[in-house]
Amino acid sequence: AFSSAPITATLFPGDGIGPEIAESVKQIFREAEVPIEWEEHYVGTEIDPRTQSFLTWESLESVRRNRVGLKGPMATPIGKGHRSLNLTLRKELNLYANVRPCYSLPGYKTRYDDVNLVTIRENTEGEYSGLEHQVVRGVVESLKIITRQASLRVAEYAFHYAKAHGRERVSAIHKANIMQKTDGLFLKCCREVAEKYPEIKYEEVVIDNCCMMLVKNPALFDVLVMPNLYGDIISDLCAGLIGGLGLTPSCNIGEGGIALAEAVHGSAPDIAGKNLANPTALLLSGVSMLRHLELHDKADRIQKAVLETIAEGKYRTADLGGSSTTSDFTRAICDHL
Ligand code: NAD
C-alpha cells in the first residue's frame, strides 16, 4: 500500500447485469484514482478440461496469483447437469467463509434504521456439497456434509472477525434439535472456538426463531455464523431489511489469505442489458476489497460518495424507487467524488 506501483486484482465481470455493474465499478475506481490494475476474466463458453468447468484455468490462476479480486454474479442454469460456477470457484480456491456486512444506509429509509450486523456463512459444504442422486425412481437423496475442519475454520474466522472489528457478540445459527449430528457438530465446534474468546459473548439461536427475531428487531444481532444453506437464506433476509439485494456486498475469504469480493445478488436476468441495475452492491464489495488491501482512504472516499448519492435521493435506480439508469447513477457518484 505504500508503493506507487499499481496492485493487480482479478475481475470477473460475470453474467447478466454483471458486465454493466462491473463497468460502473471500473469507472468509479478510475475517477477516484484507485491504484488498481484489473486482470479481467470472463467465464468460458466451453468446459476447460483443466478445471472441468466453464471457468478457465487462467482465471483461477489469476486469483491465486493476485490473491485479491472482485467477482460479478455468475448464472447457473437449473438442472443442466453441470456444477455451478460459484460452487466450483469456492471449492477450487477454498473460499471457506463468506462475510456479508449489512447495515442501514443513512438516507435510505426502510422499516428499520438500526441494522448493523454481519453474517458469516460457511461456504464449502453442508447442502452445497453437490452430492445428489436418485435412489430409485421417485426417490432422490441429497447429502449434507458437515466436517469438524470446515466448522472450526469458519467459527475461528467469525470470532477473529468479531474481535478485529470491535464486535461484542457471535450468534451461531442452527437447527441442531432436528439435524442433531450435522448441526450438532457445527455447534460443538463453535463452542470450542468461543472458549478461546472469553471477551466475545457467544449464543446459539435456532434458525426459525432467528428469522422471527431478525424481522421483528434486527438490532438484536451482531455477528452471525452459520452453515452454508442457512447463511444463503439469512443473508438475503438481511439484505431485505436494509433495502434489497442491490445494496449488499460480500467478501469470500480463502485459504492463504485470498479475498474475492462479490455482491450477494445474482445475475438478475429480468433486468440484464437494460441499464437498470443498481451497482451499489458490487461497488461496496469493491470497497471491502480496498479495505482488505489497506487502501482505506480510497475505500472511505468511494463509500462516502455512494452513500451521499443515495441519501441525496436525486439519482436512484428503480430497485430503490428511483428512475435513474445505471450509468446516470454512476455519473452522480463520480460527481460526488
Ligand atoms: P437475482 O439476485 O439475480 O435476482 C433477484 C431479484 O433481485 C430480481 O428481481 C433482480 O432483478 C433483483 N436484483 C438483483 N440484483 C440487483 C441489482 N444489482 N439491481 C437491481 N435489482 C437487482 O436472483 P435469481 O433471479 O434467483 O438468480 C439469477 C441467476 O443468478 C441464477 O442463475 C442464479 O444461479 C445466479 N446467482 C448467482 C449468484 C452469484 O454469482 N453469487 C448469487 C445468486 C444467484
Side-chain angles (χ1 to χ4, degrees):
F2 296 106
S3 77
S4 53
I7 299 162
T8 310
T10 308
L11 176 65
F12 290 98
D15 301 315
I17 59 171
E20 300 166 61
I21 56 180
E23 187 50 49
S24 164
V25 172
K26 284 193 283 183
Q27 197 179 323
I28 290 162
F29 274 37
R30 258 197 315 271
E31 184 73 26
E33 296 174 342
V34 175
I36 281 192
E37 219 159 72
W38 297 111
E39 223 170 72
E40 272 187 59
H41 286 276
Y42 277 84
V43 175
T45 49
E46 51 198 72
I47 292 183
D48 185 325
R50 293 166 298 179
T51 65
Q52 309 255 319
S53 103
F54 287 94
L55 288 167
T56 62
W57 181 78
E58 286 79 10
S59 69
L60 295 181
E61 279 301 292
S62 168
V63 183
R64 288 196 188 102
R65 190 173 53 242
N66 298 327
R67 309 175 89 71
V68 52
L70 183 64
K71 171 189 166 293
M74 292 178 183
T76 299
I78 296 172
K80 294 278 163 65
H82 62 79
R83 193 149 68 133
S84 142
L85 295 168
N86 290 309
L87 274 185
T88 309
L89 262 180
R90 286 172 196 160
K91 287 239 155 153
E92 293 296 324
L93 299 174
N94 235 323
L95 302 172
Y96 65 87
N98 185 241
V99 183
R100 300 180 166 182
C102 191
Y103 52 88
S104 302
L105 297 192
Y108 184 69
K109 191 94 196 87
T110 66
R111 216 174 282 266
Y112 310 97
D113 50 24
D114 52 358
V115 183
N116 182 8
L117 50 83
V118 184
T119 61
I120 296 180
R121 163 185 178 189
E122 199 292 318
N123 223 8
T124 62
E125 54 179 25
E127 290 87 345
Y128 291 66
S129 306
L131 299 171
E132 284 195 314
H133 56 263
Q134 176 170 295
V135 181
V136 290
R137 264 178 86 119
V139 182
V140 288
E141 198 168 66
S142 173
L143 302 181
K144 166 168 170 168
I145 308 293
I146 298 281
T147 64
R148 183 173 155 77
Q149 189 230 1
S151 304
L152 283 174
R153 190 170 57 174
V154 74
E156 191 64 62
Y157 187 81
F159 279 92
H160 164 81
Y161 181 98
K163 190 171 174 182
H165 292 82
R167 299 268 178 172
E168 286 175 4
R169 191 154 39 103
V170 170
S171 315
I173 311 304
H174 69 97
K175 189 79 188 176
N177 43 337
I178 306 295
M179 314 268 173
Q180 297 186 359
K181 286 253 188 285
T182 48
D183 287 9
L185 176 58
F186 183 80
L187 283 187
K188 187 164 173 283
C189 294
C190 289
R191 274 175 218 155
E192 268 179 52
V193 176
E195 275 177 20
K196 296 197 283 173
Y197 291 85
E199 68 279 29
I200 309 267
K201 285 188 209 114
Y202 171 68
E203 67 175 3
E204 295 167 356
V205 185
V206 179
I207 180 149
D208 35 356
N209 186 29
C210 171
C211 290
M212 188 276 293
M213 288 164 73
L214 275 170
V215 173
K216 213 172 158 199
N217 183 8
L220 291 172
F221 289 100
D222 195 346
V223 174
L224 300 89
V225 63
M226 61 206 105
N228 211 336
L229 176 65
Y230 306 154
D232 193 358
I233 298 169
I234 293 283
S235 58
D236 268 34
L237 189 163
C238 292
L241 299 174
I242 65 145
L245 287 172
L247 297 175
T248 40
S250 88
C251 191
N252 297 290
I253 306 297
E255 234 145 46
I258 287 182
L260 185 61
E262 68 170 322
V264 170
H265 63 72
S267 57
D270 50 338
I271 57 167
K274 297 183 181 159
N275 202 14
L276 290 175
N278 186 350
T280 303
L282 193 66
L283 249 170
L284 293 179
S285 305
V287 165
S288 84
M289 190 190 89
L290 295 180
R291 294 199 189 284
H292 183 83
L293 292 168
E294 310 228 335
L295 294 170
H296 293 291
D297 287 355
K298 300 290 183 195
D300 289 342
R301 244 187 102 201
I302 295 173
Q303 182 165 347
K304 189 161 167 276
V306 177
L307 298 186
E308 278 173 5
T309 306
I310 293 173
E312 190 187 48
K314 213 166 132 203
Y315 296 95
R316 279 182 186 165
T317 45
D319 57 311
L320 298 184
S323 57
S324 294
T325 60
T326 311
S327 26
D328 288 342
F329 179 66
T330 303
R331 220 167 298 122
I333 295 171
C334 288
D335 290 344
H336 273 276
L337 280 167

